[in-house]
Amino acid sequence: MGRITQRRAVTRIVLGEDGIAQRRRADVLAVEEPLEIRVGGTPLAVTMRTPGHDVELAAGFLVSEGVISRGDEFRSAIHCGGPGTGGADGNTYNVLDVALAPGVAAPDPDIARAFYTTSSCGVCGKASIDAVETTSAYDVSTDAASVDVAVLAALPDTLREHQAVFEKTGGLHAAALFDAATGELLVVREDVGRHNAVDKVVGWAVLEERLPLRGTILQVSGRASFELVQKAAMAGIPILSAVSAPSSLAAELAEASGLTLAGFVRGRSLNVYSRPDRVRVEGERQTLLASGALRGS
């Protein structure tokens, strides 16, 4: 399955009683890999995932897209390059070909056009990033938004305060949109899936005719995956903040897109993985430590 972790340089910012300290250090990220889903040999979609349980993932995706609605409509699935596929380069485990039961209609071509796809076996992260850059209608790299580091550090607490359903169930993800200039909370949405919560926030912006979401911050309650960075970039959001870790490909996409990605935003510290220039660290008490070297925490 390949590497599952990756070391990456980050800018570490710590807000202490004696001042604000910055330093470059090494961080370890979980590796994220793409899975291309094909139906009857025809590419349908690429989704980012942790390898494993790919057949279940593909079946659930087909249900969510309305391709199938019952278990007996799903016939089988095999990884590209596996036995019986004729693959000459070995099994990459990053392409899964699904066979539907006889009589089940193939996916509507409009569904396939809604997703970026690739015809090559073993799609790579670079191809996925290029696809997002090609399809996005907004260039977040040119957004002049910036946020004070103290404001950014306080966003998770504000989000948690507005998670009404989470307080009752303890089992929901949340996403919120903030104005970067003022820190004003614009909207909060909760969902059992973090991707769904983000989709709801973006959907709110669509209905309010606020796209692109320039000058805003997307705060999420969990980790920052490739998909969340993608959704932010596609909606024109220049800053994404997460209380947990980003994946390696999320950080790569954020850097390539010119999006500011902050992770481990908890209490009085955070990591900035890309475009740290948007995070304002001001004041006479600021301290810069080992700006050119990677050091442990």
Side-chain angles (χ1 to χ4, degrees):
M1 289 296 183
R3 295 177 302 119
I4 61 173
T5 61
Q6 178 187 93
R7 291 177 66 84
R8 185 178 181 86
V10 304
T11 300
R12 176 74 170 177
I13 303 174
V14 179
L15 288 71
E17 294 181 358
D18 296 329
I20 300 174
Q22 293 187 81
R23 65 177 174 180
R24 296 289 286 170
R25 52 163 286 184
D27 193 30
V28 179
L29 307 182
V31 170
E32 189 173 22
E33 293 186 0
L35 176 70
E36 178 180 328
I37 300 173
R38 298 178 181 175
V39 177
T42 300
L44 176 63
V46 175
T47 185
M48 309 311 300
R49 98 295 192 200
T50 298
H53 302 98
D54 289 344
V55 175
E56 295 175 1
L57 187 155
F61 178 84
L62 293 176
V63 170
S64 69
E65 294 301 321
V67 177
I68 63 174
S69 59
R70 302 190 311 273
D72 59 5
E73 295 177 331
F74 189 96
R75 183 178 181 181
S76 63
I78 189 169
H79 283 97
C80 178
T85 66
D89 298 325
N91 201 332
T92 65
Y93 297 99
N94 281 340
V95 179
L96 189 73
D97 196 4
V98 174
L100 301 178
V104 178
D108 189 318
D110 287 339
I111 295 178
R113 283 195 293 267
F115 298 92
Y116 60 92
T117 61
T118 176
S119 60
S120 63
C121 187
V123 59
C124 68
K126 181 62 166 60
S128 304
I129 291 173
D130 287 345
V132 173
E133 291 179 322
T134 300
T135 59
S136 179
Y138 310 116
D139 182 3
V140 298
S141 69
T142 63
D143 197 309
S146 66
V147 59
D148 184 88
V149 65
V151 172
L152 185 61
L155 295 187
D157 288 340
T158 301
L159 173 60
R160 180 60 183 271
E161 291 171 1
H162 289 81
Q163 288 183 248
V165 181
F166 179 86
E167 290 299 325
K168 298 179 180 178
T169 66
L172 290 182
H173 291 282
L177 195 68
F178 292 87
D179 182 278
T182 65
E184 176 190 0
L185 174 63
L186 302 177
V187 64
V188 177
R189 291 292 183 265
E190 293 180 282
D191 196 278
V192 69
R194 60 182 179 273
H195 303 145
N196 297 340
V198 171
D199 283 341
K200 289 177 181 178
V201 166
V202 175
W204 168 85
V206 171
L207 297 179
E208 294 292 323
E209 299 185 0
R210 299 186 66 145
L211 293 183
L213 287 167
R214 297 189 180 279
T216 62
I217 304 168
L218 178 63
Q219 175 68 52
V220 296
S221 61
R223 71 183 186 91
S225 65
F226 176 94
E227 291 97 334
L228 296 194
V229 175
Q230 175 192 359
K231 290 177 188 298
M234 295 293 283
I237 300 171
I239 304 172
L240 171 59
S241 170
V243 300
S244 192
S247 70
S248 62
L249 202 55
E252 291 172 21
L253 176 58
E255 182 175 345
S257 302
L259 180 145
T260 297
L261 175 62
F264 293 107
V265 185
R266 305 170 182 173
R268 302 289 292 174
S269 66
L270 54 98
N271 290 344
V272 184
Y273 295 85
S274 59
R275 288 294 301 269
D277 57 290
R278 287 200 179 102
V279 181
R280 300 194 307 273
V281 181
E282 302 169 344
E284 296 181 356
R285 296 187 302 164
Q286 176 181 341
T287 303
L288 182 63
L289 302 177
S291 60
L294 293 180
R295 292 168 44 182
S297 57

